[in-house]
Amino acid sequence: MADSSSKRGKKFQGPKGTRDFYPREMARRRYIEQAWRNVAIRHGFDEIEGPTFESSDLYAVKSGEGILGELFQAFSGKSPEDVEQVMKTGRAPYALRPEFTPTLARMFADKAASMPRPTKWFAIPIHYRAERPQRGRLREFLQWNADVIGDESPRADAEVIAVAVDMFSELGLSSKQLTVRLSNRDLVSEMLAGIGVAADDISRALMLLDRRDRLPAGEFDKGCAEINLDPVAFIAGLDAVQKSMNDALAAMENGKPRPEIESDSPAIANLIGLLEALAAHGILKWCEFDFSIVRGLAYYTGTVFEITAGSERAIAGGGRYDKLIEMFGGPPTPAVGFGMGDVVLSLVLEEHGLMPDDAGLAQSLNQRPDAFVFAAGGPECDAALVPLVAEMRRAGLHARRSYKSTNKIDKLLKDAAASFARCAIIIDEGFSKGTVATKDLDDGTQHIIKRSDLLAWVRERRGVSKE
RNA sequence: GCGACCGUAGCUCAGUUGGUUAGAGCACCUGGUUGUGGUCCAGGGGGUCGGGGGUUCGAGUCCCCUCGGUCGCCCCA
């Protein structure tokens, strides 16, 4: 398949880590996108979009350093300067966007003076990462982003979590299948500082914590030793706070008053605020505190969270990035948001049998034909097919037709059923006398109606279609 | 970048210790059962067995290389 040249020309296959969306796959993609879009809009988010490639510097500025190696780079071959730069430095002036947050921050920073606070934006951009594909991870994928900008309170954190949770409900997933794991980088930083870790070593300690479960035995302790951190005390302290927070969460979930938590830590106060905001949204049962969640991105501040399902890769992740807009030349502006990819979400939906079949997708996407027309008579019926279909389409109806050469009713009805049309319109002998036969493909009822009444009849069907 | 497994029609696969013109089901197209919907019957298009090289009288079936896929590691926005 690599090179079957000769008589029929070279065959190509899509690049590694990309997908071809044939009609069925496209319908599934639209199904997910529709849920994302509908839920975001009803939660008061406005849709935005940005360019699919940005200046490389936009990503260099904010993300971690290691990220740069996973970018697909881009440049114009028409510019000798660019070509030379790429040859010399290996760095192109542009990069295909690997995430959306920098674009969003840039867009907000550009118009910050005129933007309302809070601003709530969502986007469904396509992203590119030059990673090796594996389960739940491709090189080209969609990611739903929802962000609340300009509200520093944990109420905003809860809002973005709530929109994600509501979307899961929309698709049939429950808190039994998913968990929102909450953490706060400031809390962990406070604790680290409290037990004597130097300010310069804190980000390194966070990285260690992030990888604790994945590191080989002993490596975590070794890393801690290098920054003068007592691993046992560190983890014990973290676990103690985590437990008291989760106890509080459990109590509130059961309708009991929140237990007092004695602390003068701003981060704890913030987490308690988050807890109360999540309770107000009625989504505590989806949540738990897990202070081992750190997130890899350098720009996160304060609240961070991941949403996980079983053993799959995290289905969504996000957090606060209170300094990013400022870094892009805007006014100091707090912001919080998350990204959710379509790849892992699709896997989770499939696992739980929650992806509708073709008929369900057609229904859900509002793509069912209003009518499926075929001719089952002589040549005069065949000749009437195209004009009739054309008339229906001009009238705004979704009309499909059979392309089969047969005039057997059973085959044509099968053809009609395969289109998931609401009804079949049969052009038969009656056509010469001004009538057509109709058949409701959902309940099987049939009528002979006047050709002149057809458009109205089909229109009415569309209105009364059953769910 | 590293590792494991896999690679026969669009899809799922069969293919005997290497032996004549490579098979099945599904899907697709056509026709029949002389006019009603995931039945039945018949026929058809479509693979040079991922690609290249080698061993052999002869390879889909053995060896090497290569490309691709899947799943891990690294990384994870």
Side-chain angles (χ1 to χ4, degrees), chain A residues 6-78:
Chain A
S6 75
K7 51 201 167 196
R8 262 204 289 177
K10 184 177 168 68
K11 265 194 180 176
F12 290 93
Q13 51 188 171
K16 183 198 297 289
T18 63
R19 292 170 287 183
D20 293 330
F21 292 89
Y22 292 91
R24 170 175 288 138
E25 289 76 28
M26 198 62 201
R28 290 175 178 173
R29 168 172 163 177
R30 290 291 179 223
Y31 179 73
I32 288 172
E33 290 177 348
Q34 174 177 274
W36 284 346
R37 185 166 284 115
N38 288 348
V39 173
I41 288 171
R42 76 178 182 231
H43 279 248
F45 290 76
D46 294 320
E47 184 163 11
I48 59 168
E49 174 62 295
T52 53
F53 62 97
E54 293 269 13
S55 300
S56 297
D57 294 343
L58 188 74
Y59 303 113
V61 168
K62 41 106 292 185
S63 303
E65 4 28 81
I67 298 316
L68 293 174
E70 319 241 298
L71 291 175
F72 274 111
Q73 302 195 60
F75 62 98
S76 163
K78 290 181 180 170

Side-chain angles (χ1 to χ4, degrees), chain A residues 156-169:
Chain A
D157 305 19
E159 272 212 47
V160 299
I161 292 168
V163 70
V165 164
D166 196 22
M167 198 284 310
F168 293 133
S169 299

Side-chain angles (χ1 to χ4, degrees), chain A residues 302-356:
Chain A
T303 301
V304 288
F305 62 91
E306 280 182 6
I307 302 174
T308 54
S311 60
E312 296 290 350
R313 202 174 288 281
I315 194 169
R320 279 214 159 263
Y321 48 99
D322 287 345
K323 303 287 183 230
L324 194 59
I325 289 166
E326 197 174 347
M327 281 172 59
F328 289 160
T333 308
V336 58
F338 70 86
M340 180 185 302
D342 71 309
V343 183
V344 177
L345 178 59
S346 296
L347 288 172
V348 173
L349 289 177
E350 298 282 359
E351 273 169 35
H352 295 292
L354 291 171
M355 182 57 79

Side-chain angles (χ1 to χ4, degrees), chain A residues 26-148:
Chain A
M26 198 62 201
R28 290 175 178 173
R29 168 172 163 177
R30 290 291 179 223
Y31 179 73
I32 288 172
E33 290 177 348
Q34 174 177 274
W36 284 346
R37 185 166 284 115
N38 288 348
V39 173
I41 288 171
R42 76 178 182 231
H43 279 248
F45 290 76
D46 294 320
E47 184 163 11
I48 59 168
E49 174 62 295
T52 53
F53 62 97
E54 293 269 13
S55 300
S56 297
D57 294 343
L58 188 74
Y59 303 113
V61 168
K62 41 106 292 185
S63 303
E65 4 28 81
I67 298 316
L68 293 174
E70 319 241 298
L71 291 175
F72 274 111
Q73 302 195 60
F75 62 98
S76 163
K78 290 181 180 170
S79 158
E81 293 79 15
D82 287 355
V83 175
E84 197 185 322
Q85 180 195 326
V86 173
M87 302 262 280
K88 224 159 45 184
T89 66
R91 288 282 305 279
Y94 300 112
L96 271 48
R97 65 182 172 202
E99 60 162 326
F100 193 66
T101 306
T103 295
L104 176 141
R106 178 181 65 70
M107 286 171 66
F108 189 90
D110 281 352
K111 301 262 191 277
S114 63
M115 301 307 298
R117 315 294 156 100
T119 287
K120 294 166 67 175
W121 280 345
F122 83 96
I124 305 180
I126 191 114
H127 292 296
Y128 305 89
R129 294 180 192 169
E131 298 179 293
R132 186 109 178 228
Q134 49 189 284
R135 184 175 177 82
R137 193 160 77 177
L138 298 173
R139 292 181 148 191
E140 182 183 53
F141 56 94
L142 291 166
Q143 194 184 65
W144 178 41
N145 283 256
D147 296 84
V148 174

Side-chain angles (χ1 to χ4, degrees), chain A residues 151-160 273-274 277 281 320:
Chain A
D151 182 348
E152 65 181 355
S153 81
R155 289 189 302 270
D157 305 19
E159 272 212 47
V160 299
L274 176 61
H281 282 279
R320 279 214 159 263

